[in-house]
Amino acid sequence: MEMLQDLETMEVKELGAILVPTGGGGLVAGSALAVEASSSSLLSRTKLYAVEPEGYDDHVTSFRNGARTPLEASPPSLCDALQAAAPGRRSFEINRSRLAGALSVTDEEVRMAMKIAFETLALVLEPSGAVSLAALLSEKRREGKQSVGLFDREGNGESSPVAIIASGGNVTMDKFAAVMGCKQQPS
């Protein structure tokens, strides 16, 4: 896992959480299995979270219900690559016992994450690839733990380092400009 190598190079001693963009759940399931198989002490207490766009938060709903739960509506979303109506059968079986939970982010939070990634990191992220950064920046909280930060493992106000998977530059210039609120230049 490349992320693990990078964290060890940066001399991170313990990772609090990994946030993973999630549609059907395959990427987060693979990440969970990789963390589980790792012998690194850095990952010994790491919590994994699925991050989904609001309206396509099928993992949030399924975890709450304790079973795969298909969504009833298909609202518009910037995150077109994460519009799964239900978690995948196999991936949900992997994820239900390995993930700490699932979070959802709004389109506005995704827009802000894309803008920050572009302006401060010189990264062009597609909306679906920006959901983890959006969750981190908006300080999402676990359901039922509103007063304690998501990454405050001990509840004492101290955070642990967090890794995010920010994937995909699969976005056209026109869509990126539209999401950023830029007016298109005449051709």
Side-chain angles (χ1 to χ4, degrees), residues 12-100:
V12 173
K13 301 296 182 213
E14 183 179 68
L15 186 63
I18 301 173
L19 307 181
V20 185
T22 305
L27 178 61
V28 72
S31 299
L33 292 173
V35 166
E36 184 176 84
S38 173
S39 60
S40 173
S41 62
L42 178 112
L43 300 175
S44 64
R45 294 178 40 185
T46 301
K47 295 179 179 183
L48 266 76
Y49 292 88
V51 184
E52 306 170 296
E54 187 177 70
Y56 289 91
D57 47 0
D58 49 298
H59 282 79
V60 171
T61 302
S62 296
F63 287 150
R64 186 179 326 121
N65 294 339
R68 279 180 75 242
T69 307
L71 299 174
E72 295 179 19
S74 299
S77 173
L78 290 176
C79 305
D80 54 358
L82 301 179
Q83 293 179 344
R89 281 182 171 74
R90 288 187 179 141
S91 59
F92 187 70
E93 287 308 312
I94 292 167
N95 293 335
R96 71 188 312 175
S97 64
R98 289 172 177 87
L99 299 189

Side-chain angles (χ1 to χ4, degrees), residues 167-182:
S167 60
N170 188 23
V171 61
T172 65
M173 181 59 77
D174 288 343
K175 182 172 183 178
F176 187 78
V179 170
M180 294 293 98
C182 301

Side-chain angles (χ1 to χ4, degrees), residues 112-124 176 180:
M112 183 58 63
M114 290 174 66
K115 181 177 180 176
I116 289 171
F118 181 72
E119 290 178 348
T120 63
L121 303 171
L123 290 175
V124 175
F176 187 78
M180 294 293 98

